[in-house]
Amino acid sequence: MDNAPQLIQERSAPPATLVIFGASGDLTRRKLLPAVESLARHHRLPSQFALVGVARTPMADEQFAASALGDRSLLDKQQLQGGIRYVSGGYDDPETYKRLAETLDELDAVRGTAGNRLFYLSTPAEAFEPVINGLAGAGLNHAREGSFSRLVIEKPYGRDLPSARELDAVVHGSFDEPQVFRIDHYLGKDTVQNVLALRFANSIFQPIWDRSWVDHVQITVAETLGVGTRGGFYEQAGAMRDIVQNHVLQVLALALMEPPASFEAEGLRNEKVKLLQAIRLPTNRDIADLAVRGQYTRGGTRDDLMAGYREEVGVDPLSRTETYAAMRLNVDNWRWAGVPFYVRTGKRLPARVTEVALQFQRPPHLPIPQDQLTGLEADALILRIQPNEGISLRFGAKVPGHSFRVRTASMDFSYEQTFAEESPEAYERLLLDALLGDPTLFIRSDEVEHSWRIVDPIIEHWAQDMSPIPTYEAASWGPADADRLIGRSGRAWKNSI
């Protein structure tokens, strides 16, 4: 009998056509087309694969194919050549979807795509409804027997809970929930998925992953960039809608949820929903103590002076939009009762970093004299999602020498140094999952609702608060109010660069 370990079967997409609405846009150019190219290069796409772009911008098939293939390798061009089409037209024009249906039927015949269609909405949010209704009007929301028709929707999924419910009503009027894949690219990152591996593939962490050992948790999503050319969009979003409602709460749910019975998609997503349900909803009277906002002003150095938010293109000179948001959350369940969770995100901060830091309780008694403790910090487990992806364990250790002195040390795991395998881009992984019909890393309808329930009261409170918005200089760690938020409990933000 051969006892050699079996190789894990590589995942490859079935025959299908990927239809990208918003094909002439920035997201398609920067993320989606490179993801398709990479899947082809890694032999994850069959020869019976086709790509169709749909947008208002007039363009010939050859032009779109050139933009899709660009300077790709000859191998990738050979794999995708002949399977790329473009349909131009308005998203609210039935003729656009009639031409799209004819194109899809032609590709089924000449490319062998088997009637499988994945519709990707890479458009502004206001185009979601006309596209969905257009697909349904042309009968493209239903697949023939043995085939599939699926819908991938980019964020923002609504502006608040009522608008998210309205969008859900539109979506579910044409597509069943199993056909719908709400995408958050953070969940496609290997390092986010590694939170699950760390927790559930290692027995040593489970016993200390609760209120008995954890003092508090910090989740940080910090960016060094400003809003750039996205000022018009950001004015309508702000940090709470753009980052906290989706990225931050998704990472928090993965880090804090109970172990699922299995890694089946619904088992995992059920536990995320339970965690989001357990987060105590903020009330108007305590929001001032639980949430902080801020807006960056001009800052930096004499040689690198950065503009303030109100000076950015497309931004109202009197804007009250927050570019920084911080919150203290409480989870009312058996595992986490009494443990505060501090989350923050901001633009124009000193470092680009996304991490989850679990700080553990200090020893109940230290027999070592204080003068022998050289800046000893509390033990902590830090999950670095980006950049320098990896994990650090912080603990106290004796300093070499004749005296007994203790200071903080750390053990570091680095993805780059440990694994030779190439980590796929987030969109590459998520596109493949959607083609395979695997919803594990996508967001279910009830997850969206519970996320909006958490942030809506804060957004509404800030909209009604006419006091001056707190500010912070570009390249600083945020407004002073954020330090007071965490400092009231005797704690401090982890601000290392």
Side-chain angles (χ1 to χ4, degrees), residues 121 123-126 128-129 132 151-184 233 236-237 240-243 245-247 250 442-453 455-456 459:
L121 272 57
T123 65
E126 56 268 21
F128 291 172
E129 182 172 351
I132 291 167
L151 184 72
V152 180
I153 307 180
E154 274 284 347
K155 74 178 183 77
Y157 201 89
R159 283 185 46 79
D160 49 24
L161 180 57
S163 60
R165 284 175 169 168
E166 289 172 8
L167 178 56
D168 249 359
V170 171
V171 170
H172 290 147
S174 301
F175 292 85
D176 296 330
E177 180 65 19
Q179 294 177 276
V180 182
F181 291 71
R182 299 171 190 82
I183 193 168
D184 181 340
F233 162 79
Q236 304 302 315
M240 190 66 81
R241 287 189 178 96
D242 189 41
I243 301 294
Q245 185 271 333
N246 40 76
H247 301 335
Q250 284 294 315
F442 294 85
I443 302 171
R444 206 166 62 189
S445 177
D446 49 355
E447 287 184 66
V448 175
E449 286 210 10
H450 288 298
S451 296
W452 280 119
R453 287 179 196 273
V455 302
D456 266 1
I459 294 172

Side-chain angles (χ1 to χ4, degrees), residues 68-101:
L69 296 173
D71 296 327
R72 318 296 186 205
S73 69
L74 180 61
L75 171 64
D76 305 326
K77 288 185 177 181
Q78 288 174 339
Q79 282 189 272
L80 298 172
Q81 201 80 49
I84 299 177
R85 302 286 189 276
Y86 186 85
V87 176
S88 63
Y91 297 137
D92 55 356
D93 183 356
E95 289 300 313
T96 302
Y97 302 91
K98 181 180 178 181
R99 291 193 298 274
L100 174 60

Side-chain angles (χ1 to χ4, degrees), residues 154-433:
E154 274 284 347
K155 74 178 183 77
Y157 201 89
R159 283 185 46 79
D160 49 24
L161 180 57
S163 60
R165 284 175 169 168
E166 289 172 8
L167 178 56
D168 249 359
V170 171
V171 170
H172 290 147
S174 301
F175 292 85
D176 296 330
E177 180 65 19
Q179 294 177 276
V180 182
F181 291 71
R182 299 171 190 82
I183 193 168
D184 181 340
H185 74 273
Y186 257 53
L187 297 184
K189 294 178 180 290
D190 271 339
T191 43
V192 171
Q193 296 163 51
N194 192 52
V195 174
L196 299 175
L198 178 78
R199 291 194 57 193
F200 305 134
N202 302 286
S203 61
I204 63 172
F205 294 115
Q206 273 308 313
I208 61 172
W209 211 276
D210 64 21
R211 68 186 187 282
S212 299
W213 297 93
V214 176
D215 174 77
H216 74 282
V217 178
Q218 296 183 29
I219 298 179
T220 298
V221 179
E223 300 177 82
T224 56
L225 298 176
V227 295
T229 59
R230 299 172 70 234
F233 162 79
Y234 206 83
E235 275 289 270
Q236 304 302 315
M240 190 66 81
R241 287 189 178 96
D242 189 41
I243 301 294
V244 176
Q245 185 271 333
N246 40 76
H247 301 335
V248 170
L249 290 180
Q250 284 294 315
V251 171
L252 182 142
L254 290 174
L256 306 186
M257 71 182 194
E258 293 298 316
S262 74
F263 263 35
E264 295 285 331
E266 293 315 304
L268 191 70
R269 299 204 289 182
N270 286 342
E271 295 303 333
K272 287 167 63 185
V273 168
K274 289 178 188 176
L275 190 284
L276 293 172
Q277 286 177 314
I279 293 176
R280 189 183 307 166
L281 299 182
T283 60
N284 200 53
R285 67 176 180 271
D286 58 18
I287 285 174
D289 295 326
L290 297 178
V292 167
R293 59 178 170 164
Q295 186 185 90
Y296 66 83
T297 60
R298 186 177 298 191
T301 66
R302 183 184 297 273
D303 296 328
D304 185 19
L305 187 63
M306 292 170 275
Y309 176 70
R310 293 180 179 182
E311 301 169 289
E312 303 279 18
V313 176
V315 172
D316 182 348
L318 300 177
S319 174
R320 298 175 51 78
T321 300
E322 79 281 358
T323 61
Y324 178 99
M327 294 192 300
R328 187 184 82 233
L329 299 172
N330 294 91
V331 179
D332 293 329
N333 65 14
W334 188 273
R335 181 183 292 268
W336 297 115
V339 177
F341 299 89
Y342 296 95
V343 302
R344 60 176 172 168
T345 184
K347 290 188 175 294
R348 285 295 187 211
L349 299 183
R352 174 177 172 263
V353 59
T354 299
E355 67 179 26
V356 180
L358 288 83
Q359 182 164 307
F360 296 102
Q361 304 277 1
R362 290 185 178 273
H365 171 67
L366 269 176
I368 306 166
Q370 281 294 320
D371 60 357
Q372 293 175 229
L373 303 175
T374 311
L376 182 64
E377 301 177 80
D379 298 343
L381 184 65
I382 300 156
L383 317 179
R384 299 188 307 274
I385 293 172
Q386 66 178 17
N388 306 319
E389 293 87 349
I391 300 169
S392 293
L393 179 62
R394 191 175 73 195
F395 55 93
K398 180 187 177 298
V399 179
H402 297 294
S403 301
F404 192 90
R405 292 186 298 117
V406 179
R407 73 175 178 217
T408 295
S410 65
M411 291 190 295
D412 289 311
F413 154 72
S414 166
Y415 253 83
E416 185 178 12
Q417 295 176 9
T418 303
F419 295 114
E421 293 91 339
E422 180 184 357
S423 184
E425 286 293 322
Y427 279 98
E428 181 182 342
R429 167 66 193 266
L430 294 172
L431 268 180
L432 180 58
D433 282 357

